[in-house]
Amino acid sequence: MSETERPILALRNISKRFGATQALADVELNLYPGEVHALVGENGAGKSTLIKIATGIHQPDAGTMELAGEPYRPAEPAVAQRQGVAAIYQEPSIFPDLSVAENIFIGHQDRGLLVNRKGMERDAVEVLRRLDMDLSPTQPAGILTVAGQQAVEIAKAISLDVRVLIMDEPTAALSAHEVNQLFRQVQRLRELGVAVLFISHRLDEVFEIADRVSVFRDGRHISSRPIAEVTKDQMVREMVGRDPSEFFVRTPQAPGEVVLAVEGLGRRGVFRDVSFELRRGEVLGFAGLVGAGRTDIALALFGVAPADEGTIVIDGQPITIGSPTDALRHGIAYLSEDRRKLGLSMTQSVTTNITLATLDRYTSRFGIVDRSAEAVDAAALRDRLGIVTASLDTPVEHLSGGNQQKTMLGKWLNAEPRVLILDEPTRGIDVGAKAEVHRFIDELARAGMAIIMISSDLPEVLAMSDRIAIMREGRLQGVRSGSDADQETVMAMAVGVA
């Protein structure tokens, strides 16, 4: 991209307000053909609002947009797609019962009333070939992996002659191998002259894939630079306004007595022969590639998908966990990796979500809920965790990702567990909220809580864990002291090299 080249999409002085919230304030962004432009910022920085304006979901209050030098103001996403601007998200929007070819061409209005399936499949093969995608046009889209479904969405965009493709957290649910596949597809898009806007909280990926990066903070445009002219620390400082040395802080302390002991735990076809101990005040990190069995162990300990072999011992007493109710009764709580589907009731209030797992505590024998007692406990956890919300009655779907995560954490802290399992506790939240979650974990460990932390972010595991359990293909490869482990050692064990 030369300095004199005209951007394919130019946003000028864009502002947008929702009630009292200024979501965007006078922001600018230029996207160029054949360039991958990363957009980073904390939750609430304005990234999602900008995407929705660019794709016609929202209309700006002020400012202008140009597409290939012409005025651009789509009234809805279908209009934006017809003009060559499309978006894909971390959860693909495919039709699972339709074939790959049908999904690729479902948005076309120029193929007539009668479907020529052979012609459609032939055209799908050509689109997939242009992107070097190894997919059959006749297979049902529903059987594909998330990465495969994203590939179908990219192919669909190419079939519509996309000029600008927005990718919003596309790697959040992908394994390392699938991320590499996606990046090869992004490279093909770059070669085809498509402008790609890549949004991610994973800064390593930004440095790997992006040509240029823009930073937003509090609805404002902070900077735009070639990726070669910015450092990771510099980017983080611009995103949050404080030094990255504040992140990943643990207070050294000696763990106490054994709280949880697991021996020979297994579930047929999923994981087997897993043994470990967890001590009071300890953070035991679980590392491994996606599909290694880390979450499956958590689901077994919480009774969602119980183990069918092995023993679980709490405070020296063998126990049986066949359901989440059993787990909670024995003092085990589980913060799910998927807060929207498994962790929170999105349409209900902050208070309701915080007291959801402990509703019996507020309910009389006549079934009457003590709402005032609920509100008192919810307010205390809101203050303790720093949940930013206009009201405790606000539905959690209206909160930022970081505040949703804190609300889910508040739900389980309200249960006063002895063992807290945190599955990807900082996935999909910005670096500022991540630092707060890390401080809460440290505070809980210092107070004596025994914590299992599962994370795909290896630096996070290394920084936050007293010991690290490394999983590979359903087997525990070993447990390393946090002070003795490094990224190379842990990854070598995770992939079976060591």
Side-chain angles (χ1 to χ4, degrees), residues 184-259:
R184 284 196 294 271
Q185 294 160 10
V186 171
Q187 177 59 30
R188 287 294 294 139
L189 292 169
R190 182 191 270 132
E191 293 167 359
L192 292 169
V194 176
V196 177
L197 181 62
F198 183 85
I199 299 169
S200 178
H201 285 117
R202 298 178 174 180
L203 299 189
D204 288 341
E205 293 177 355
V206 168
F207 278 88
E208 181 178 349
I209 195 66
D211 302 300
R212 180 175 292 268
V213 60
S214 290
V215 178
F216 277 22
R217 185 174 75 234
D218 299 330
R220 297 183 180 277
H221 173 255
I222 302 302
S223 68
S224 290
R225 301 188 190 90
I227 195 69
E229 296 178 9
V230 62
T231 68
K232 192 179 298 184
D233 285 356
Q234 197 176 11
M235 192 184 300
V236 170
R237 279 194 298 272
E238 291 183 345
M239 288 166 65
V240 300
R242 55 189 181 276
D243 194 272
S245 63
E246 296 180 33
F247 307 149
F248 301 132
V249 176
R250 278 297 310 282
T251 304
Q253 66 169 15
E257 70 279 5
V258 173
V259 176

Side-chain angles (χ1 to χ4, degrees), residues 127-162:
V127 172
L128 294 167
R129 184 195 63 77
R130 290 175 67 193
L131 291 165
D132 291 332
M133 292 178 179
D134 186 20
L135 293 175
S136 167
T138 59
Q139 69 186 121
I143 69 173
L144 299 176
T145 63
V146 172
Q149 293 176 6
Q150 286 183 340
V152 171
E153 290 213 88
I154 293 172
K156 176 182 175 181
I158 289 296
S159 77
L160 291 165
D161 296 323
V162 69

Side-chain angles (χ1 to χ4, degrees), residues 119 196 252 301 354 379:
V196 177
L301 291 173
I354 287 176

Side-chain angles (χ1 to χ4, degrees), residues 71 78 106 132 158-159 255 308 321 457 475:
I106 198 166
D132 291 332
I158 289 296
S159 77
D308 47 36
I321 298 177
D457 186 338
R475 298 294 298 270

Side-chain angles (χ1 to χ4, degrees), residues 402-481:
N403 286 301
Q404 289 176 1
Q405 197 76 351
K406 292 182 211 174
T407 300
M408 185 164 58
L409 180 58
K411 176 178 76 171
W412 294 120
L413 293 185
N414 199 43
E416 300 177 342
R418 300 206 60 208
V419 175
L420 179 60
I421 304 171
L422 302 172
D423 195 352
E424 301 288 0
T426 62
R427 171 179 286 174
I429 64 176
D430 58 71
V431 290
K434 180 182 288 191
E436 290 185 82
V437 170
H438 290 157
R439 284 194 287 272
F440 297 144
I441 293 172
D442 182 61
E443 175 189 315
L444 293 170
R446 283 188 283 118
M449 189 173 290
I451 298 172
I452 291 174
M453 188 184 76
I454 301 166
S455 177
S456 298
D457 186 338
L458 191 49
E460 177 176 65
V461 173
L462 289 166
M464 294 302 297
S465 304
D466 297 295
R467 290 183 302 138
I468 301 168
I470 302 102
M471 295 288 297
R472 177 176 180 266
E473 297 179 356
R475 298 294 298 270
L476 181 61
Q477 300 299 294
V479 179
R480 289 294 186 98
S481 166

